[in-house]
Amino acid sequence: MNQQLRIDQVTPSQLALISRQTEAVRAQILETKRPPLNGFSAFGMRTDIPAFAETFTSYMTDTTGSALIGTGYETDVPSVGMGISSHTRNVRYLLCQYSWTLWQLLRAAEQGTPLPTGMPMRARKVIEETHNDLIWSGNAAHGLYGVVNQPGIPRVPVAEPIGSGASSEAALLTAILDVVDSVESNTNQATVATRVLMAQANYSYLANTRCANSDRSLLEWLIASRQAIGRSMEFHSVRELESKGPSSENLMIAYNLDPSVQGYEVPAGQVFEQLAPQFSGYQQTTYCYGATGGFNTEYPLEMIVGIIPA
């Protein structure tokens, strides 16, 4: 005869058994969503540095001298020359490893989370996230530069807060265009800014705030103002510019996207590489790496960093 089980007499082990029998487990295992990595899409990648390099040097030439206005009989005329400047940067490596034992491998396969596919993906993800951090902020301890701390790129305060604290709509729009147009004036009209990156909160304010007496947003007005003078300009929201100013202000960056003189240096295109697995007893370990030379520009005046007041 079956014995009735009273709820007040259930032991912990019996309770766990009941719980397992009544619990439904989804077949699909979800992945935690992580923030986008905007650095590569914003600036691109340069891969011409060979894999063996420990440092690399970039050269920039310029024309010196001038021409003389004369009658054509002069022999003592000015000389024309070529000036050369250079800078040298470091190459560093982003390192990590993953491992598992035979027993962990078997258990993970049973649970539906196979390690041979999941672990390489996670190793690549952490190395790519480190690449992205270096694109924006560099690493002073290793002599790597990012966009925000790149030598030679002008840094200027934006005259108005990009938000509800602006003194007026006209003053806000003028303050943004003053920063954008600084690229043209700094390069003596050799180039103009074609792209603007902005912290998400400031970008959202421009995109969601309507101009007075108009159905256009402030962002649409800014884009149209460039089109009216025959220029194109893109605006992009990037989370990486939030709180990156000298006193944790948000930033904006205006620049001309020119891969020939600027980009994130990845020697031999080694964004992520993994070596052959190493075995020790029942454990397997795989070492991974990526190569970097940081963000680099030979013509820093093509860019400008605007510090947005709170």
Side-chain angles (χ1 to χ4, degrees):
M1 178 171 134
N2 292 334
Q3 191 173 21
Q4 295 291 332
L5 186 66
R6 289 173 46 183
I7 193 64
D8 59 341
Q9 295 178 333
V10 174
T11 66
S13 60
Q14 291 171 326
L15 185 61
L17 176 61
I18 294 171
S19 176
R20 286 195 299 270
Q21 290 174 337
T22 59
E23 179 187 9
V25 179
R26 291 185 182 276
Q28 181 184 13
I29 298 177
L30 303 177
E31 184 74 21
T32 301
K33 294 185 178 181
R34 299 176 74 89
L37 308 179
N38 296 307
F40 284 113
S41 61
F43 302 106
M45 179 172 63
R46 300 199 291 187
T47 61
D48 57 308
I49 301 167
F52 62 80
E54 294 183 346
T55 62
F56 63 96
T57 300
S58 301
Y59 291 92
M60 193 78 166
T61 63
D62 196 6
T63 301
T64 62
S66 60
L68 172 72
I69 300 174
T71 62
Y73 294 96
E74 295 84 359
T75 57
D76 185 15
V77 296
S79 297
V80 174
M82 181 174 64
I84 301 178
S85 60
S86 66
H87 62 258
T88 299
R89 300 286 170 82
N90 295 326
V91 172
R92 292 292 184 265
Y93 298 94
L94 314 180
L95 311 172
C96 70
Q97 56 91 5
Y98 58 88
S99 62
W100 58 70
T101 66
L102 172 62
W103 326 120
Q104 291 171 330
L105 180 67
L106 296 174
R107 293 187 193 107
E110 177 65 23
Q111 293 168 354
T113 56
L115 297 178
T117 55
M119 294 307 292
M121 178 186 69
R122 283 158 176 75
R124 184 182 187 100
K125 188 170 295 184
V126 299
I127 285 183
E128 287 181 343
E129 288 176 346
T130 307
H131 278 302
N132 189 67
D133 291 341
L134 291 172
I135 292 173
W136 298 101
S137 302
N139 185 290
H142 288 281
L144 299 173
Y145 293 99
V147 178
V148 173
N149 67 339
Q150 183 76 202
I153 295 180
R155 293 162 180 78
V156 299
V158 182
E160 290 282 336
I162 303 179
S164 57
S167 59
S168 69
E169 177 184 297
L172 168 58
L173 295 172
T174 299
I176 295 172
L177 291 179
D178 282 347
V179 175
V180 171
D181 291 339
S182 293
V183 172
E184 183 177 10
S185 58
N186 290 343
T187 61
N188 200 21
Q189 295 188 320
T191 189
V192 298
T194 58
R195 182 178 286 191
V196 177
L197 310 177
M198 195 173 289
Q200 182 179 357
N202 307 111
Y203 176 93
S204 296
Y205 179 81
L206 295 176
N208 297 325
T209 303
R210 298 294 168 186
C211 296
N213 303 317
S214 172
D215 61 352
R216 290 193 300 187
S217 68
L218 297 176
L219 182 60
E220 290 171 327
W221 186 95
L222 287 167
I223 295 172
S225 72
R226 300 294 92 178
Q227 294 172 340
I229 56 176
R231 297 178 183 174
S232 63
M233 180 171 295
E234 302 175 5
F235 283 78
H236 297 275
S237 165
V238 293
R239 64 179 182 83
E240 291 89 346
L241 294 180
E242 295 175 5
S243 304
K244 288 295 177 65
S247 299
S248 298
E249 303 96 336
N250 288 353
L251 299 179
M252 64 174 286
I253 297 175
Y255 64 108
N256 177 41
L257 182 60
D258 185 354
S260 67
V261 297
Q262 67 188 221
Y264 181 62
E265 311 283 1
V266 182
Q270 297 177 352
V271 175
F272 174 78
E273 304 288 336
Q274 56 182 2
L275 304 180
Q278 299 183 17
F279 296 90
S280 176
Y282 299 103
Q283 179 165 306
Q284 171 183 320
T285 301
T286 303
Y287 289 92
C288 309
Y289 71 94
T292 179
F295 179 84
N296 188 36
T297 175
E298 285 79 41
Y299 196 28
L301 295 181
E302 282 196 337
M303 308 182 75
I304 190 166
V305 176
I307 303 169
I308 303 171

